[in-house]
């Protein structure tokens, strides 16, 4: 099976000339199917830049990046968007749910763009909500859900397309400790079910729950820490 993520000497420079900023300075990383990985680093270390490249929201200035065996460096914007929609489920710090739409409708949305028939959409969205323990909140709009519940809806939305990679940027950044604990339980269950998860965090407690911690310092991988997940 090919690696989910294969990054080879990835570099990203913003701007040029005297104002150029080297945000990534040669990052190599392989993530295999089923791995649960945390990326840590201080502010400005390149975490978001790396996440944008891993999520096919941007392409490297130099180096190679393959997701699920597909070299994204050669793709135009339209094909990049296609890969993004097919292979990656995003979870953001700010949930990014659509207001005045039910939880179920929010989760169905990525399938609507993909032209899946409505009965199939509904069934898959219900299954995804069930996976995050929110079947009983399916008709609630986001403003009637707690932050932790909104983030679980966002995870259901990210999973409904059965992506190769679940990519989360500071998913617990806006949650209190109880909602954080619940969310980490959801990630544990997804990991046990064989999902490949990469999350970006600067919280040590969150990173500790994963099987592998990558530390970025000044655009480079400074160290890597493997341990068995609980
Ligand atoms: N769009 C951009 N244009 C110019 N510089 C940027 C841009 N995005 C990030 N940077 C710079 O790249 C470096 C890494 O930023 P970033 O990837 O956001 O780090 P982190 O997410 O770890 O805080 C920083 O020096 C930042 O100022
Ligand atoms: Mg950032």
């Amino acid at each position: 099976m090919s690696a989910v993520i294969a990054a080879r000497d990835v570099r990203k420079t913003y701007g040029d000339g005297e104002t150029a900023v080297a945000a990534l300075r040669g990052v190599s990383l392989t993530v295999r199917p089923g791995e649960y990985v945390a990326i840590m680093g201080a502010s400005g270390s390149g975490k978001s830049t790396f996440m944008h490249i891993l999520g096919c929201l941007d392409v490297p200035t130099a180096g190679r990046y393959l997701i699920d065996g597909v070299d994204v460096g050669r793709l135009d914007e339209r094909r990049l968007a296609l890969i993004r929609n097919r292979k990656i489920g995003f979870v953001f710090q700010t949930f990014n749910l659509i207001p005045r739409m039910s939880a179920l409708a929010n989760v169905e949305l990525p399938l609507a763009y993909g032209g899946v028939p409505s009965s199939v959409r509904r069934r898959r969205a219900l299954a995804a909500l069930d996976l995050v323990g929110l079947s009983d909140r399916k008709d609630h709009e986001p403003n009637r859900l707690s932050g932790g519940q909104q983030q679980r809806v966002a995870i259901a939305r990210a999973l409904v397309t059965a992506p190769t990679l679940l990519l989360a940027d500071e998913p617990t950044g806006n949650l209190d400790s109880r909602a954080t604990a619940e969310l980490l339980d959801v990630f544990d269950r997804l990991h046990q079910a064989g999902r490949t998860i990469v999350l970006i965090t600067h919280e040590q407690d969150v990173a500790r729950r994963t099987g592998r911690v990558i530390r970025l310092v000044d655009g480079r991988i400074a160290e890597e820490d493997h341990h068995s997940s609980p």
Side-chain angles (χ1 to χ4, degrees), residues 14 21 23 42-49:
Y14 294 109
V21 177
S43 176
S45 61
K47 299 185 300 295
S48 293
T49 300

